[in-house]
């Protein structure tokens, strides 16, 4: 993996039409301070925007304001893991920033051909793979414009999206 892999916000800055993000793990970064706070009982207050708005959400909002559609799909095991309950609870800021988010119970995706890693797909031409350890720690990323990889990711995402439940209708 190259150290020169662009960050997601850098790729979003040059995106013109669409950014798709597929997440397929039941847990990420278990030592995240926000996750630890959630485990201790802290919950985001939807009415106190200043307490949960962060720079990443500004990037999303600015990208959506330029007319870029941002969709995120999450494939999850059910019953959901503790991490997915946390992720569900902290998704409303993403939605308010302009992301469309859907959840696919893993059992409903058995017949979908999926890539081996989480990914972002920008403008149907650039895939940014996300690499994680078995415990969900981020190990970096990798970029490709390989047409077969782009097609696999596009087809997989659209199949997941079609079967997935919109965030506002999904319950954990």
């Amino acid at each position: 993996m190259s150290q020169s892999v662009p960050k997601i916000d850098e790729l979003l800055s040059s995106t013109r039409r669409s950014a798709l993000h597929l997440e397929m793990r039941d847990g990420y970064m278990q030592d995240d301070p926000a996750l630890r706070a959630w485990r201790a009982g802290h919950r985001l207050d939807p009415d106190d925007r200043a307490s949960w708005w962060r720079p990443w959400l500004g990037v999303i909002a600015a990208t959506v304001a330029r007319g870029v559609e941002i969709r995120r799909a999450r494939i999850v095991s059910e019953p959901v893991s503790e991490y997915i309950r946390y992720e569900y609870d902290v998704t409303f800021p993403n939605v308010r920033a302009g992301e469309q988010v859907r959840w696919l119970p893993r059992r409903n995706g058995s017949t979908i051909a999926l890539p081996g890693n989480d990914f972002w797909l920008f403008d149907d031409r650039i895939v940014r793979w996300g690499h994680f350890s078995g415990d969900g720690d981020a190990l970096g990323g990798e970029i490709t414009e390989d047409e077969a990889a782009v097609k696999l990711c596009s087809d997989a995402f659209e199949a997941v999206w079609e079967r997935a439940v919109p965030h506002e209708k999904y319950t954990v």
Side-chain angles (χ1 to χ4, degrees):
M1 282 178 282
S2 168
Q3 294 296 331
S4 63
V5 174
K7 295 180 179 180
I8 305 300
D9 57 351
E10 294 168 0
L11 290 162
L12 283 170
S13 71
S14 61
T15 300
R16 300 290 171 240
R17 294 179 316 282
S18 65
L20 311 177
H21 187 195
L22 183 61
E23 298 176 358
M24 300 181 282
R25 301 179 55 85
D26 285 319
Y28 297 87
M29 300 169 285
Q30 297 296 310
D31 62 349
D32 181 351
L35 174 60
R36 287 197 308 264
W38 181 88
R39 284 177 174 148
H42 175 74
R43 298 297 183 266
L44 300 179
D45 179 355
D47 296 326
D48 183 10
R49 182 179 187 264
S51 71
W52 49 260
W53 192 262
R54 57 194 190 280
W56 167 252
L57 298 171
V59 169
I60 295 299
T63 303
V64 170
R66 289 194 337 264
V68 175
E69 178 181 58
I70 301 177
R71 294 187 288 158
R72 179 185 305 254
R74 294 176 169 142
I75 300 174
V76 297
S77 300
E78 291 181 328
V80 299
S81 67
E82 175 191 50
Y83 183 88
I84 295 301
R85 281 194 310 278
Y86 157 74
E87 195 169 53
Y88 179 84
D89 282 352
V90 299
T91 292
F92 76 85
N94 297 69
V95 173
R96 288 200 182 167
E99 278 190 52
Q100 299 172 56
V101 179
R102 291 189 181 181
W103 304 81
L104 179 67
R106 193 171 307 279
R107 70 179 176 277
N108 295 340
S110 296
T111 59
I112 299 173
L114 298 168
N117 293 291
D118 290 9
F119 65 86
W120 281 86
L121 176 59
F122 301 94
D123 287 335
D124 290 318
R125 67 178 193 86
I126 299 171
V127 175
R128 186 185 191 282
W129 303 110
H131 298 295
F132 298 89
S133 71
D135 292 330
D137 295 326
L139 299 176
E142 183 179 356
I143 295 283
T144 185
E145 292 185 50
D146 175 75
E147 290 179 12
V150 167
K151 182 173 178 12
L152 171 64
C153 291
S154 178
D155 290 351
F157 186 90
E158 295 303 336
V160 168
W161 192 257
E162 182 179 304
R163 296 180 191 187
V165 179
H167 177 71
E168 62 275 6
K169 294 182 179 177
Y170 185 72
T171 55
V172 295

